[in-house]
């Protein structure tokens, strides 16, 4: 067995055993959630799949809602691939398009759709979802900051507000009104957000 | 006892006994939900409050999620007071402002906030929420139709899309990201939607 594989097996990869248990349990949670849905999600099945004792999971996560919250916390820590084409219109369109693709592609959509849907079913999940979106918005705001530096957008624009406006209509359809999501809706959300930003509607409040 | 009060007591008001039971049970559901929250909501407590047999509720509504769905169906049937100032900018601002007020005023916000939150916790509730928003958007679209007739907006604008865009950012903050909602966010949502509509971004697709 090569050294790396042996080290990984012994639980000495970065973060150590505790981080490995977390990854295994969250992965099992997402798999169970995707296969069975929130209503059929049990700590027992998650533990069986992850090969972890129930006592460990209850102690560390409390129950299924704590597991869902932690799955979102782990996702929030992952870097989001932020477009950088040199053209802010294209970058913002790509951000909206990425949300569209993630939640409509039959191979990609199931897990994130189930995860957000599940987060909306508990206070613990809702708090984690809020933190998740804060992290995502802040990461993606770089697209706007760069555009301001290039002179493509007014200097006063609130970067998070532009990112939020370009993607909010998609999440609104998916998780609130249950209306269908198409490419046109994604394109329109991005274009409307850029228009509003250029008109000064998203200017940050004066300090 | 005056004739009207006697008739009401005997259950002969419009819609009859069945409609009266529905109103009583839905009213009790909303009161229990507002007081105790979704996690503590029970058919038993609702029946006790409404003075209705449990068997009736289970037979007609199935359980708490069916009750929440019906509360939304009943709300969707209520006419929404649609502004009609003669000025579409003002009307759209008033629509967004009404959502803002409903969900931030300490006396008004509790029941609708609890009801939408509860609807997001079951598939039955989510389907009812979708139908509720369809009804609301269609009612409010009249604001846009009238403005088109007055020549205040392009004839090709999709009325529902403009109403949706003016209010979606508020629901997105309230029920998805959990971000605070202020008057500025409501004003901005309405102004951005009007700007996009005038730029032709909300034109209905060619038939």
């Amino acid at each position: 067995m090569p050294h790396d594989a042996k080290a990984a097996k012994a639980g000495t990869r970065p973060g150590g055993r505790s981080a490995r248990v977390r990854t295994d349990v969250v992965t099992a949670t997402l798999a169970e959630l995707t296969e069975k849905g929130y209503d059929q999600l049990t700590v027992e099945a998650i533990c069986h799949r992850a090969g972890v004792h129930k006592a460990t999971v209850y102690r560390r996560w409390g129950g299924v809602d704590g597991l869902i919250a932690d799955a979102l916390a782990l996702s929030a820590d992952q870097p989001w691939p932020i477009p950088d084409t040199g053209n802010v219109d294209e970058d913002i369109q790509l951000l909206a398009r990425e949300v569209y693709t993630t939640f409509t592609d039959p191979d990609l959509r199931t897990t994130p759709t189930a995860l957000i849907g599940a987060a909306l079913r508990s206070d613990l999940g809702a708090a984690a979802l809020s933190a998740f979106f804060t992290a995502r918005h802040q990461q993606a705001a770089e697209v706007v900051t760069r555009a301001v530096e290039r002179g493509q957008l007014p200097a006063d624009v609130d970067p998070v507000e532009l990112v939020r406006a370009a993607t909010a209509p998609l999440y609104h359809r998916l998780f609130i009104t249950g209306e269908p999501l198409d490419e046109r809706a994604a394109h329109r959300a991005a274009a409307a957000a850029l228009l509003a930003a250029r008109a000064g509607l998203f200017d940050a409040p004066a300090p």
Side-chain angles (χ1 to χ4, degrees), chain A:
Chain A
M1 190 185 286
H3 177 73
D4 280 5
K6 222 162 122 188
K9 227 175 175 183
T12 54
R13 73 165 90 152
R17 186 174 146 68
S18 168
R20 185 165 50 96
V21 168
R22 185 185 180 201
T23 308
D24 290 350
V25 169
V26 164
T27 304
T29 301
L30 293 175
E32 286 289 314
L33 179 65
T34 306
E35 276 175 30
K36 297 177 188 162
Y38 180 80
D39 289 333
Q40 308 301 323
L41 191 64
T42 64
V43 169
E44 193 146 31
I46 292 165
C47 291
H48 182 74
R49 196 184 265 260
V52 170
H53 286 292
K54 276 209 283 186
T56 307
V57 168
Y58 278 116
R59 197 174 50 236
R60 190 157 164 188
W61 287 278
V64 292
D65 292 330
L67 287 164
I68 285 162
D70 202 35
L72 278 162
L74 211 56
S75 295
D77 287 342
Q78 309 295 314
W80 195 17
I82 304 304
D84 188 8
T85 64
N87 177 334
V88 68
D89 289 68
E90 212 170 307
D91 285 352
I92 294 289
Q93 285 288 351
L94 285 168
L95 277 182
R97 204 187 163 79
E98 205 240 330
V99 175
Y100 162 73
T101 306
T102 301
F103 290 96
T104 56
D105 182 291
D107 292 331
L108 297 176
R109 69 183 294 278
T110 46
T111 300
T113 303
L115 181 56
I116 295 184
L120 293 171
R121 294 198 177 191
S122 76
D123 294 340
L124 215 52
L129 191 61
S130 180
F132 170 80
F133 276 110
T134 300
R136 284 293 174 102
H137 289 164
Q138 279 170 356
Q139 283 176 39
E142 204 187 311
V143 161
V144 182
T145 314
R146 280 194 242 110
V148 170
E149 283 164 13
R150 288 193 304 259
Q152 294 176 339
L153 285 174
D156 288 338
V157 70
D158 175 347
V160 165
E161 182 56 30
L162 174 44
V163 167
R164 189 195 281 118
T167 51
L170 284 69
Y171 290 110
H172 178 256
R173 280 176 180 263
L174 287 163
F175 296 102
I176 297 184
T177 63
E179 291 167 300
L181 185 56
D182 54 22
E183 267 190 276
R184 208 166 159 268
H187 177 83
R188 196 160 49 192
L194 285 158
L195 192 67
R198 292 209 163 97
L201 289 176
F202 295 162
D203 284 4

